[in-house]
Amino acid sequence: MAINGTVSNARHRRERFLKDTGRLQEQVWLIQVLQDYSFHDADEGCIQDISQWCQSSWLRVLRDHPNNVTILKGLGDNWLQTSQGFLAMIHREGSVSSDSGANKNAHCPLHVQARTHLQPAVDFFARAVVAAEGSDSLTGELLSSAAEASMNLGNVSSPSSAEQHFVRAVKYLRRTVAIPGYTLSTFFQEYLDDYGRFVAA
């Protein structure tokens, strides 16, 4: 009974902390630290209970701060990093083709699982980009993360739907290179060079 009471009290304090609208900076710091820890090796999977707690905590603070860029990006990162384990397994199985990533295995369970996590990532990053534009705080890091999510979603989608995701990724990367002082990684730059010419400006 004492143990149950201690756990219940700890849960209550945690819930009260996350509901305190005056402690946003502390809340964001705590969730981000735990999220980074839970995904210390995302390709091998995450610490699921911690990553899920982070996701639910982001959603809780988002209720009071629906246009907060950091929270929206945190949610995008959470879903994107959760997908990495599925993407790594797909890569090991060699079931993604090399032609722009579009493949004919989109119906396979791993691809379905990956899309289930990548679509929310794409959506939250898109919201974060819009919010950042509204607050004049758009960064190359955010745009690169948004591009990565869209690229990965395209890679596990059917050829008929993959194009829209690749186009979105290219457009994000174009905006990224336009930000003064930000340099794309070699991978993203090569992707933009290879596929950007097929996407209208």
Side-chain angles (χ1 to χ4, degrees):
M1 292 294 291
I3 293 176
N4 289 338
T6 300
V7 171
S8 178
N9 288 337
R11 184 180 298 113
H12 178 71
R13 288 195 300 271
R14 187 167 61 241
E15 291 297 313
R16 188 170 57 188
F17 169 70
L18 291 172
K19 289 179 180 178
D20 189 341
T21 57
R23 303 179 69 180
L24 178 62
Q25 187 173 354
E26 297 170 74
Q27 293 162 349
V28 166
W29 178 85
L30 175 62
I31 300 169
Q32 190 63 66
V33 166
L34 290 174
Q35 181 158 290
D36 290 344
Y37 174 72
S38 70
F39 291 108
H40 65 278
D41 189 359
D43 286 352
E44 296 300 323
C46 61
I47 303 175
Q48 192 169 15
D49 55 344
I50 298 179
S51 66
Q52 289 178 342
W53 180 87
C54 291
Q55 184 184 122
S56 63
S57 297
W58 284 128
L59 289 170
R60 179 174 290 281
V61 295
L62 183 65
R63 296 174 193 170
D64 296 312
H65 308 277
N67 297 311
N68 184 284
V69 177
T70 303
I71 297 172
L72 291 166
K73 183 179 183 298
L75 278 161
D77 285 332
N78 185 285
W79 284 103
L80 177 60
Q81 292 182 86
T82 302
S83 74
Q84 295 304 311
F86 299 108
L87 294 173
M89 287 187 282
I90 290 170
H91 180 73
R92 286 194 290 268
E93 291 185 359
S95 55
V96 174
S97 69
S98 59
D99 54 339
S100 301
N103 66 89
K104 298 178 175 61
N105 299 298
H107 63 283
C108 295
L110 283 176
H111 290 69
V112 173
Q113 288 273 31
R115 288 199 303 276
T116 298
H117 293 83
L118 285 165
Q119 187 61 63
V122 167
D123 294 342
F124 279 116
F125 280 130
R127 289 177 60 184
V129 168
V130 171
E133 290 172 330
S135 60
D136 196 26
S137 59
L138 191 61
T139 65
E141 180 187 3
L142 173 57
L143 287 168
S144 293
S145 295
E148 180 182 358
S150 292
M151 289 164 58
N152 287 339
L153 183 55
N155 286 339
V156 295
S157 297
S158 64
S160 62
S161 61
E163 182 179 0
Q164 62 180 314
H165 305 304
F166 294 136
V167 168
R168 185 185 298 114
V170 166
K171 290 182 176 180
Y172 279 138
L173 292 176
R174 283 177 177 164
R175 297 179 66 184
T176 302
V177 297
I179 294 179
Y182 189 85
T183 303
L184 282 177
S185 68
T186 300
F187 172 77
F188 283 138
Q189 187 62 60
E190 289 178 350
Y191 185 92
L192 184 58
D193 293 340
D194 289 342
Y195 301 115
R197 64 182 183 274
F198 300 115
V199 178

